[in-house]
Amino acid sequence: MRRKKDPRITVRLVTALIASMVTLSVAAQAPSPRPKLVVGIVIDGLREDYLDLLKGYFGENGFKLLMRDGVMLDNVNYGTALDATAATAMIYSGASPSVNGIPAAFVYDAEMRRQYPIVLDPSQIGNYTDETYSPKSIRVSTLSDEVRIDGGGIGNVYSVAPSPSQSIILAGHAGNSAFWINDVTGRWATTAYYKDVPQPMQARNFSRSLASRLDTLTWKPSLSPESYPDLPAYKKYYPFRHQFLRNDIDRFRNYKTSAPVNTEVTDIAADYIRGLRLGTHDAMDMLNLGYTLAPFAAAKDADNRIETMDSYLKLDADLARLFRAIDTNVGLKNTFIMVAGTPAQPSTKRDDEKWGIPNGEFIPRRAVSLLNVYFVPKYGNGEWVSGYHNGQIFLNHKLIKDNGIDPKTIRTEAADLLLRMSGVSRVWTIDDIEAGRAGHNADALKRNTQVDYAGDVFIEVTPGWEIVDQNPNNQKEVRSTVRTGFMSSPVFFLSPDLKAERITSEIDARTIAPTVARLLRIRSPNASELPPMRFNR
């Protein structure tokens, strides 16, 4: 006789089967763990063409690791030419200078007639320095802020970079500390705005200071001169040799643009990772680093290719050492790494006269004098122009207001006169820029202009001409040669969650911050202007 099935058994079997299917489905959909350590690296002057040129010279675990295993964005566009400080702010905020408040490392005070650092904050005091800086000029949140906020303050955010403005922007408002090299003493300095002074940095300043080591440091080629690619013969016969001697007043400033400074930053980064036990807390830690591949400030001539290539080779070794320290102490599988290049600044040296390249000198002091001479008989006595800074003419707004003159009218007259000067190719007023009718990329120029710091008239000097200016703080002559050739700046993302990919299409730099935020599963910075990118995972 067949036994009748118990319906309760059937129900239990079905329930168990459904539960197991749900468990399997949830397990399949569960997100991977978030990284324990985030490493943000910004490299001033990193160029995609040099990476391709030198890839056969790199080791396996530096730039090659990024190109082989990471997502590589070949062509990141910042809109207009920006210095490393403004480009770093755009990368970390996802916003342009008109929104994030950072148009350049130095801005101009028309009333005081002097330039000053964008991060200047007299209400703060310095630590290991008399410089008074803070991040108050950054008007929005940054990736570093969002990482720290996400962890409720349990995770830590540190930054180390040669320049104060870049280091402070990398640390953001909520960072634990930001350190840079003081131009006068060579000490690693910070501001009392940040509360932490990490022990590894204290030890370095007291027992291994740069001032005590630079005398014996010599930067010379890593390879025999004939081994570097694409060098003319004369460069092979006269290899470079740079020293940073005690009797050179600019030795720390020059050092900050040299290849050896990258080794110093890497040493400190490795000390931080080990000594501060980064990546071992109950929230994400973040370490931000600033490196440089910019033209060396003390190069002897305009052709500094061998110094530049050597800087790439040395930085490749430094990156390999950094990645090894991360893998040993935290694990690359537990780390998210971003490496962002900022646009390369052109060499300040003019080509030798023997080549016959058209050139000349544009002297801003003469432009200022010319405008004053023109305006005095028309509007009356007084200094109608307050000064010149970074391609911009600043008018005397108080004098203009006191005389009841329409500011737009006098700006237009100044622009018309300047356009007739030798060496001036184009001129715009701030009104043209705000109306979106200036230059071939008017929208980008508008969003990259921070009105609160902008001049009244913008001058574009003819390429090949040399701008001969004076530093308003020390009256030293400063020469720079105008070049407008565009070089793309790559960005890399390295994460175990991302498949290797190379993207050659143009990418707006403002998408980097929201993309990183999405990959880390944190909020985007509060002023992010564009949506994040999506990759193969």
Side-chain angles (χ1 to χ4, degrees), residues 277-298:
R277 301 180 66 245
L278 298 184
T280 65
H281 302 104
D282 292 331
M284 283 187 291
D285 291 322
M286 188 173 191
L287 177 61
N288 297 297
L289 305 172
Y291 288 118
T292 182
L293 291 169
F296 180 50

Side-chain angles (χ1 to χ4, degrees), residues 103-150:
F106 290 88
V107 291
Y108 190 73
D109 185 331
E111 187 174 331
M112 299 297 294
R113 304 194 179 192
R114 62 179 181 86
Q115 69 172 19
Y116 64 93
I118 187 67
V119 293
L120 182 68
D121 183 356
S123 70
Q124 299 295 326
I125 60 173
N127 202 337
Y128 299 115
T129 179
D130 59 0
E131 298 159 307
T132 57
Y133 298 151
S134 86
K136 77 169 187 178
S137 294
I138 311 171
R139 299 181 179 179
V140 299
S141 74
T142 69
L143 280 172
S144 297
D145 295 330
E146 298 299 341
V147 167
R148 190 104 200 278
I149 293 168
D150 179 80

Side-chain angles (χ1 to χ4, degrees), residues 19-33:
S20 65
M21 291 174 65
V22 170
T23 301
L24 288 171
S25 176
V26 170
Q29 296 176 15
S32 59

Side-chain angles (χ1 to χ4, degrees), residues 373-445:
V373 167
Y374 175 78
F375 287 136
V376 164
K378 188 168 186 177
Y379 295 117
N381 291 329
E383 286 190 276
W384 294 95
V385 181
S386 294
Y388 168 94
H389 173 73
N390 196 26
Q392 301 169 42
I393 293 288
F394 291 77
L395 299 177
N396 188 333
H397 288 193
K398 184 178 185 304
L399 188 60
I400 292 170
K401 182 180 180 180
D402 290 346
N403 283 268
I405 302 168
D406 177 22
K408 289 187 178 181
T409 298
I410 197 168
R411 283 196 286 262
T412 301
E413 291 174 346
D416 290 342
L417 182 63
L418 289 168
L419 192 56
R420 295 196 289 271
M421 286 190 68
S422 298
V424 175
S425 57
R426 285 185 282 190
V427 180
W428 304 289
T429 67
I430 187 62
D431 310 295
D432 296 328
I433 292 172
E434 285 296 285
R437 55 175 183 262
H440 68 279
N441 194 350
D443 288 342
L445 183 57

Side-chain angles (χ1 to χ4, degrees), residues 205-226:
N205 269 341
F206 285 109
S207 63
R208 300 190 63 241
S209 69
L210 278 172
S212 67
R213 291 183 282 127
L214 272 195
D215 278 347
T216 59
L217 177 66
T218 300
W219 176 24
K220 54 187 178 182
S222 304
L223 307 175
S224 59
E226 60 271 12

Side-chain angles (χ1 to χ4, degrees), residues 246-265:
R246 192 176 298 273
N247 60 359
D248 182 0
I249 194 172
D250 292 320
R251 68 173 182 152
F252 296 121
R253 294 183 182 89
N254 293 336
Y255 173 75
K256 287 165 66 169
T257 67
S258 72
V261 78
N262 295 328
T263 300
E264 175 80 359
V265 170

Side-chain angles (χ1 to χ4, degrees), residues 461-527:
V461 176
T462 303
W465 278 57
E466 198 170 28
I467 300 174
V468 185
D469 198 9
Q470 273 187 333
N471 184 317
N473 296 334
N474 57 25
Q475 303 306 308
K476 281 188 175 182
E477 184 178 87
V478 179
R479 289 177 174 264
S480 58
T481 301
V482 178
R483 300 185 69 88
T484 57
F486 174 78
M487 289 295 176
S488 60
S489 299
V491 170
F492 298 90
F493 302 125
L494 185 66
S495 168
D497 287 343
L498 293 175
K499 294 180 180 178
E501 187 177 1
R502 185 163 184 171
I503 298 173
T504 58
S505 57
E506 184 179 281
I507 303 296
D508 193 307
R510 293 173 294 167
T511 65
I512 302 301
T515 299
V516 172
R518 178 177 177 273
L519 293 170
L520 297 178
R521 302 201 295 273
I522 63 174
R523 298 186 314 185
S524 290
N526 61 14

